[in-house]
Amino acid sequence: MNLFALFQSRFPTDTSLPFLETETGRSLTFDALDQTTARYAGLIRSLGAAPGDRVAVQVEKSVESMLLYLACLRAGVVYLPLNSAYRESEIAYFLGDATPKIFVHASKDADWIEPICQSLNIAHQFTMDAEGKVQAGSGDWAKNAANGTPMVGFENRNDDDLAAILYTSGTTGRSKGAMLTHLNLSSNALTLHRAWGFQPDDVLLHTLPLFHVHGLFVALNTILLNGGKMIFHTRFDAPAAIAAMQRATVFMGVPTYYTRLLAEPAFDAACCEHMRLFVSGSAPMLAETFSEFAARTGHHILERYGMTETGMITSNPLHGERRGGTVGFALPGV
């Protein structure tokens, strides 16, 4: 099944309900999500991108970049997110290796990106800028999509068809593109949704990047399966995150996020009284951080482990003992 179709099947009956709100007060309903991804997918199709073609994206985190990921799933093309910190030599390698048909990037990088695209004969380039730097919804990609014909429905895909390619941090030689199928992503998201006990009223506080498995698949895919609400911050800011926890129930972060929360003198159990679950991954967490967080807040962080190639593999239990410095047990199906 197309992963987007799975997400769509979990949307609430009342699609006027909000799917996300940003730190600037912007709101996006499920209906707007559906309509915008239909326009984005329509633009992808109009450019001649067929199922299996790659769409490379190197932009700052924004609502629009999240919707572009979903539109790629909907259109049946392969989503290729790239770290916004990459520069000429890295981008030339990734684009030359993956051979995308479409490349969406920040407008500020056009002067050095355009020669690379020309040398590699990349058919289509568009810009997309971060929310807050330009008016929301602007940028060459959004303007072109607004004038096109929306896609109706979604592209039928098989379980083993590619959904995304993410380049790993190569331990030998250059980074390698991990080829992830619709079933890779759906099965892992469904497993995490069950293992971490998501409930209809859960609200995810999302502060992670979207070019990495953690923010893109572990966090975003799981809350989409829940058909619930997300508080969407374009970057992690400890005071802003603490304030948002009054309206959230689940937070996913890297260990440095937790050390930065603990560095805030005002951060205590009262700040977390609305929270159900704290999850950590992407790097090892010091046992001291785990213990200090528990002492300060009463919450035991759930640490888990995964890989770009596999998604999540292990997790500390939702119910029962969570041990600092460990990544728990193999997840169901692993």
Side-chain angles (χ1 to χ4, degrees), residues 17 20 24 49 56 60 102 104 110 125 132 170 190 198 201 220 225 269 294 332 334:
L17 291 171
L20 65 76
T24 61
E60 298 294 335
I102 302 168
V104 182
Q125 293 176 65
L190 287 164
F198 272 82
D201 59 349
L220 182 58
L225 277 184
V334 174

Side-chain angles (χ1 to χ4, degrees), residues 59-189:
V59 298
E60 298 294 335
K61 181 181 179 181
S62 67
V63 173
E64 282 68 34
S65 65
M66 181 270 297
L67 293 170
L68 179 53
Y69 157 62
L70 296 176
C72 287
L73 295 177
R74 186 169 190 163
V77 297
V78 180
Y79 186 71
L80 170 58
L82 296 167
N83 190 324
S84 56
Y86 288 149
R87 284 301 172 259
E88 286 92 331
S89 62
E90 296 153 316
I91 291 300
Y93 167 70
F94 294 130
L95 297 184
D97 190 55
T99 63
K101 189 147 193 170
I102 302 168
F103 184 30
V104 182
H105 59 82
S107 59
K108 65 180 177 61
D109 298 328
D111 58 339
W112 60 265
I113 282 177
E114 287 179 1
I116 295 173
C117 291
Q118 291 172 4
S119 69
L120 295 173
N121 295 316
I122 294 174
H124 304 286
Q125 293 176 65
F126 294 88
T127 58
M128 177 183 284
D129 290 309
E131 185 178 358
K133 295 183 180 178
V134 294
Q135 185 179 355
S138 68
D140 195 46
W141 176 266
K143 288 179 181 177
N144 278 272
N147 297 323
T149 302
M151 179 179 181
V152 177
F154 54 87
E155 183 71 31
N156 289 322
R157 304 306 286 148
N158 295 319
D159 284 346
D160 292 335
D161 287 330
L162 284 188
I165 295 175
L166 271 72
Y167 278 83
T168 67
S169 52
T171 53
T172 56
R174 302 299 296 266
S175 296
K176 300 167 181 65
M179 303 166 70
L180 305 172
T181 68
H182 284 262
L183 183 59
N184 283 141
L185 301 182
S186 64
S187 63
N188 207 234

Side-chain angles (χ1 to χ4, degrees), residues 197-210:
F198 272 82
Q199 301 298 316
D201 59 349
D202 270 324
V203 177
L204 173 71
L205 173 56
H206 194 303
T207 65
L208 291 157
L210 288 178

Side-chain angles (χ1 to χ4, degrees), residues 3-11 69-70 73 189 221 224-225:
L3 179 60
F4 179 83
L6 176 60
F7 294 150
Q8 199 174 42
S9 72
R10 302 294 186 94
F11 288 0
Y69 157 62
L70 296 176
L73 295 177
N221 286 2
L224 279 161
L225 277 184

